[in-house]
């Protein structure tokens, strides 16, 4: 089983990203844990990334601003939670944002295909 904390912090972070599709580190911090130091939010997101539940892109021309999103694998996990019953990854044009911001990952390789945002088809 995944090491997603039962206390809800990881679960909340995943739910926020699933519903908002993308959020910067600072936005995530303000939503999920504004009372703690931002380093704690960064560590939480890094842990989720290590488990391949979320990934990030560095936005062009925004310094080192990172935008986070759930991976396909993360979307599968979130879709099984009772509180998000019926949630489906969006298949709107806007889902290309992460792929384009990252410079278009090569989704012809299996490891990159899993890292695309939920609902995002590989480039053709």
């Amino acid at each position: 089983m995944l090491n997603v904390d039962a206390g809800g912090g990881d679960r909340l972070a995943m739910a926020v990203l699933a519903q908002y599709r993308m959020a910067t580190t600072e936005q995530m911090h303000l939503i999920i844990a504004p009372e703690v130091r931002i380093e704690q939010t960064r560590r939480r997101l890094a842990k989720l990334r290590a488990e391949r539940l979320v990934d990030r892109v560095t936005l062009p021309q925004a310094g080192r601003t990172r935008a986070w999103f759930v991976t396909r694998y993360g979307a599968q996990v979130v879709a099984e939670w009772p509180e998000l019953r019926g949630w489906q990854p969006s298949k709107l044009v806007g889902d290309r944002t992460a792929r384009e911001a990252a410079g278009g990952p090569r989704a012809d390789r299996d490891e990159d295909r899993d890292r695309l945002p939920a609902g995002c088809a590989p480039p053709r």
Side-chain angles (χ1 to χ4, degrees), residues 28-87:
M28 289 296 292
H29 175 67
L30 292 172
I31 294 169
I32 67 172
E35 71 283 354
V36 301
R37 295 176 49 128
I38 195 167
E39 291 306 316
Q40 185 173 337
T41 301
R42 286 187 183 114
R43 282 192 301 273
R44 180 177 307 281
L45 291 167
K47 175 182 164 248
L48 293 171
R49 184 174 188 239
E51 294 189 16
R52 300 186 69 128
L53 293 166
V54 303
D55 206 353
R56 68 178 188 219
V57 294
T58 303
L59 301 175
Q61 300 181 7
R64 293 180 49 197
T65 301
R66 294 180 174 147
W68 296 86
F69 55 91
V70 292
T71 61
R72 287 184 182 183
Y73 175 54
Q76 290 171 350
V77 171
V78 168
E80 294 176 8
W81 295 345
E83 59 266 41
L84 290 174
R85 189 182 337 253
W87 174 83

Side-chain angles (χ1 to χ4, degrees), residues 10 12 25 51 70 79 97 99:
D10 291 353
L12 177 60
T25 305
E51 294 189 16
V70 292
T97 306
R99 186 177 70 227

Side-chain angles (χ1 to χ4, degrees), residues 18-19 21 75 87-96 117-121:
Q19 293 178 64
R21 293 196 318 202
W87 174 83
Q88 292 291 318
S90 175
K91 295 186 185 203
L92 300 174
V93 174
D95 282 332
R96 287 189 247 147
C120 187

